[in-house]
């Protein structure tokens, strides 16, 4: 008698990842976290002749992370294929046709610093994930770009051993070592927090059907990572916690072990996670703006050297989508930062303001980045559009000058509640001010025709359509808003 096939116990997954376009194939990976030591059977994918074998990515206790890599053939029209184990559940993924429009969803801020506070929001935590999935059911997305804070890991400081360390007086605790038991505690927290956050039905449904490109920001590590004063940044315990966050980030958000990253991670040899892709008439560049961050720097000299080389790989593209976790083009909040810096107490906004490109600490790097993108756009005839989140509101901005035009689209957050009305009103006034960041260049945050306002003060996510000629049509889906905000580029 033939032995009955046992379907693996899936703890989390599938989670799809985009690996790039290769000739007439759409390269994907899919991740499963399974319980137990048994290696899973091969994966079956429509249109892929051979069964796809598993690759072991990592483990925690008895839970093992497995990845399957495959490439789906493409035709002239988009197609939907299914994948799964031979006698188990099957899932769907939609692949764009060759030279056809590509539909993209953009999200950020999938959480909140204290999850207990989300209960005060009038709508369910994952209402916008459900909205995204409903939209996907009507007009399937081919890609999901996740621009930062896919995980809110700030509760790592509540782990018992780490909390006891944090309660000890500074600066003495900044010299204390990271004990192995603390590292074990942090690993349990991050691994289980990914399982809990991504395992929620509305989130899991999207991750299983739309391939992601993810880039981290501070909350994927802990709030303000890299922007804290240097004695804190150098503390062995903070560095040890960040190293655990790094290990789980590569496992869950890239789908690979830290020492064997996929070729789309261009920054891998340098120890960062910057990623790049070419897809028909457009490209995607997601620089890692968190790994090398200090209170005075966004990028290291090495990354500044690499950036022009990475941009040159998009020669021939008509449009480049640049993921900047923090908005590159935004209202100047430097005055607020200076005001808070003079107060004799902390308000909690200091790290967030220091994270901004327009912080007084990063202003020279900000202008350097603007000049680099303007020169690239002019030299290669490639339009640049920046996608960002982090600020818990929606908006747009445009830089004009030197014969170029760079647009900024801001969407945040898909879960994080909007800022207070008073704060939003202050932002609205700042956004209305005329701005000249460099000689010969103007920066504007235009008001939306749909509302007459510059800031979308609702939770939101962004739907993008990229045409075969590289034109981008962007639509914000804002919670409770009957109008859909739109921008064509």
């Amino acid at each position: 008698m033939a032995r009955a096939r046992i379907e693996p116990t899936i703890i989390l997954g599938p989670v799809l990842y985009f690996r790039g376009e290769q000739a007439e194939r759409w390269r994907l990976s899919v991740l499963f976290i399974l319980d137990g030591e048994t290696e899973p059977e091969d994966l079956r994918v429509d249109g892929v002749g051979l069964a796809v074998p598993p690759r072991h990515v990592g483990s925690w206790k008895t839970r093992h992370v497995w990845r399957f890599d495959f490439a789906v053939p493409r035709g002239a029209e988009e197609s939907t294929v299914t994948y799964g184990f031979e006698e188990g559940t099957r899932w769907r993924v939609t692949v764009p046709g060759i030279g056809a429009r590509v539909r993209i969803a953009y999200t950020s801020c999938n959480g909140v610093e204290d999850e207990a506070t989300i209960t005060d929001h009038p709508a369910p935590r994952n209402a916008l994930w459900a909205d995204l999935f409903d939209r996907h059911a009507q007009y399937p997305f081919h890609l999901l770009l996740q621009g930062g804070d896919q995980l809110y890991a700030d509760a790592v400081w509540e782990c018992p051993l780490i909390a006891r360390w944090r309660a000890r007086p500074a600066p003495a605790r900044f010299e204390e070592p990271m004990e192995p038991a603390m590292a074990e505690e942090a690993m349990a927290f991050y691994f289980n927090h990914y399982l809990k956050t991504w395992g929620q039905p509305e989130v899991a449904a999207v991750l299983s059907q739309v391939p992601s490109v993810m880039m981290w920001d501070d909350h994927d590590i802990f709030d303000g990572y890299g922007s804290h004063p240097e004695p804190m940044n150098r503390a062995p315990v903070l560095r040890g916690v960040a190293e655990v966050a790094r290990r789980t980030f590569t496992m869950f958000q890239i789908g690979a072990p830290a020492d064997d990253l996929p070729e789309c991670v261009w920054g891998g040899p340098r120890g960062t996670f910057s990623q790049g892709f070419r897809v028909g008439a457009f490209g995607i560049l997601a620089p890692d703006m968190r790994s090398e961050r200090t209170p005075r720097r966004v990028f290291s000299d090495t990354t500044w050297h690499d950036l022009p080389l990475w941009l040159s790989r998009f020669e021939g593209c008509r449009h480049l989508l640049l993921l900047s976790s923090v908005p590159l083009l935004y209202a100047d909040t430097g005055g607020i930062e200076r005001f808070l810096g003079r107060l004799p107490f902390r308000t909690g906004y200091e790290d967030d303001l220091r994270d901004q490109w327009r912080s007084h600490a990063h202003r020279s790097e900000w202008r350097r980045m603007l000049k680099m993108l303007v020169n690239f756009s002019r030299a290669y005839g490639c339009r640049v559009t920046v996608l960002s989140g982090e600020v818990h509101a929606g908006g747009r901005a445009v830089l004009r000058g030197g014969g170029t035009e760079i647009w900024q689209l801001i969407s945040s957050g898909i879960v994080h509640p909007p800022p207070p009305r008073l704060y939003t009103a202050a932002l609205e006034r700042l956004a209305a001010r005329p701005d000249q960041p460099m000689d010969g260049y103007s920066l504007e945050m235009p008001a939306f025709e749909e509302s007459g306002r510059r800031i979308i003060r609702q939770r939101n996510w962004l739907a993008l359509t990229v045409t075969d000629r590289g034109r981008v049509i962007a639509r914000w889906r804002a919670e409770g808003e009957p109008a859909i905000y739109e921008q064509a580029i």
Side-chain angles (χ1 to χ4, degrees):
M1 178 183 294
R3 188 176 62 180
R5 187 180 297 276
I6 301 175
E7 187 173 359
T9 302
I10 299 173
I11 304 298
L12 179 72
V15 178
L16 281 166
Y17 306 86
F18 182 57
R19 299 304 195 203
E21 182 184 60
Q22 184 180 42
E24 297 181 355
R25 293 179 178 272
W26 199 246
R27 296 176 57 203
L28 303 173
S29 293
V30 63
L31 203 75
F32 290 89
I33 290 81
L34 306 181
D35 192 28
E37 305 294 329
T38 304
E39 179 176 313
E41 62 180 279
D42 293 350
L43 195 74
R44 307 286 174 168
V45 184
D46 292 347
V48 178
L50 299 176
V52 182
R55 297 184 60 180
H56 192 251
V57 171
S59 63
W60 176 245
K61 304 297 184 183
T62 63
R63 296 172 173 181
H64 288 259
V65 184
W66 299 92
R67 189 182 82 214
F68 301 82
D69 303 323
F70 54 95
V72 179
R74 300 163 66 196
E77 304 294 332
E78 76 175 16
S79 60
T80 297
V81 301
T82 67
Y83 67 94
F85 301 106
E86 188 168 355
E87 295 181 8
T89 304
R90 296 191 69 81
W91 297 270
R92 299 157 61 89
V93 59
T94 300
V95 174
I98 299 171
R101 295 184 170 208
V102 178
R103 291 186 294 274
I104 302 171
Y106 174 88
T107 67
S108 69
C109 299
N110 178 36
V112 65
E113 291 83 348
D114 179 0
E115 281 284 336
T117 63
I118 200 70
T119 57
D120 296 331
H121 192 71
R125 180 194 192 278
N126 296 321
L128 286 184
W129 280 108
D131 180 61
L132 197 163
F133 188 72
D134 288 345
R135 185 68 178 172
H136 172 70
Q138 300 173 55
Y139 303 99
F141 291 106
H142 308 118
L143 289 175
L144 173 61
L145 305 181
Q146 300 195 57
D149 298 339
Q150 284 70 251
L151 189 80
Y152 269 69
D154 308 299
V156 67
W157 302 117
E158 298 173 13
C159 295
L161 296 177
I162 297 173
R164 283 202 288 272
W165 168 85
R166 197 181 187 203
R168 291 196 280 272
R173 72 171 183 266
F174 297 153
E175 304 300 323
E176 296 181 20
M178 177 76 164
E179 301 291 346
M182 297 168 75
E184 189 89 353
E185 186 179 63
M187 185 65 188
F189 168 80
Y190 281 98
F191 198 98
N192 289 323
H193 200 39
Y194 272 108
L195 298 184
K196 180 181 178 181
T197 303
W198 289 13
Q200 296 176 57
E202 301 88 349
V203 182
V206 175
L207 297 182
S208 70
Q209 294 198 19
V210 190
S212 285
V213 173
M214 307 185 206
M215 180 50 63
W216 66 353
D217 201 23
D218 60 332
H219 290 285
D220 300 288
I221 310 166
F222 49 78
D223 188 18
Y225 173 78
S227 291
H228 294 294
E230 277 304 333
M232 290 179 61
N233 282 340
R234 291 193 298 265
V237 171
L238 264 76
R239 293 171 67 89
V241 170
E243 184 56 36
V244 175
R246 178 185 179 90
R247 177 183 170 191
T248 52
F249 166 79
T250 60
M251 194 182 299
F252 285 88
Q253 297 201 38
I254 296 180
D259 59 354
D260 187 20
L261 299 172
E263 61 185 22
C264 58
V265 182
W266 293 354
R270 307 292 195 188
T272 69
F273 303 117
S274 298
Q275 299 168 55
F277 307 85
R278 287 191 60 151
V279 184
F282 74 99
I284 301 168
L285 178 61
D288 180 351
M289 297 182 177
R290 195 49 66 171
S291 289
E292 300 171 324
R293 184 177 287 270
T294 73
R296 308 300 304 176
R297 297 292 298 268
V298 177
F299 295 131
S300 68
D301 290 338
T302 300
T303 295
W304 277 116
H305 173 269
D306 288 343
L307 276 167
L309 303 177
W310 293 341
L311 287 170
S312 70
R313 298 185 188 184
F314 298 104
E315 182 176 4
C317 288
R318 297 192 177 195
H319 211 134
L320 174 65
L321 301 179
L322 176 76
L323 271 65
S324 172
S325 52
V326 177
L328 187 65
L329 305 175
Y330 195 53
D332 187 357
T333 56
I336 299 175
E337 181 183 10
R338 287 189 293 271
F339 171 74
L340 295 183
R342 290 193 291 266
L343 296 177
F345 55 87
R346 286 180 56 86
T347 65
Y349 287 102
E350 289 84 357
D351 299 331
D352 290 338
L353 291 168
R354 196 157 46 242
D355 279 346
Q356 301 301 313
W357 274 106
R358 301 196 67 170
S359 165
H360 61 84
H362 306 310
R363 189 151 301 199
S364 62
E365 280 187 287
W366 177 60
R367 291 195 177 103
R368 183 177 182 179
M369 175 64 86
L370 294 182
K371 290 176 181 177
M372 184 182 297
L373 293 176
V374 165
N375 292 338
F376 160 76
S377 180
R378 191 162 48 219
Y380 290 91
C382 179
R383 183 179 287 278
V384 176
T385 295
V386 186
L387 305 177
S388 303
E390 198 271 340
V391 294
H392 309 151
R396 59 184 175 172
V398 59
L399 178 77
R400 293 187 175 98
T404 60
E405 185 179 84
I406 295 177
W407 277 90
Q408 166 80 69
L409 308 178
I410 305 165
S411 176
S412 171
I414 193 165
V415 166
H416 198 290
R421 292 188 182 278
L422 186 61
Y423 182 83
T424 307
L427 273 181
E428 190 75 35
R429 293 189 66 178
L430 285 175
R433 292 179 178 177
D435 201 349
Q436 287 189 302
M438 302 181 295
D439 289 343
Y441 289 85
S442 66
L443 193 162
E444 177 191 6
M445 292 189 70
F448 288 98
E449 293 182 5
E450 295 84 353
S451 66
R453 296 186 296 272
R454 291 168 171 80
I455 304 297
I456 301 173
R457 190 193 170 271
Q458 286 86 19
R459 299 195 300 182
N460 63 92
W461 60 275
L462 191 62
L464 305 165
T465 300
V466 184
T467 72
D468 58 347
R469 294 183 177 273
R471 184 171 185 256
V472 170
I473 302 166
R475 296 182 177 91
W476 285 260
R477 302 277 297 187
E479 187 171 44
E481 284 281 332
I484 297 176
Y485 300 88
E486 185 169 322
Q487 175 68 53
I489 307 171

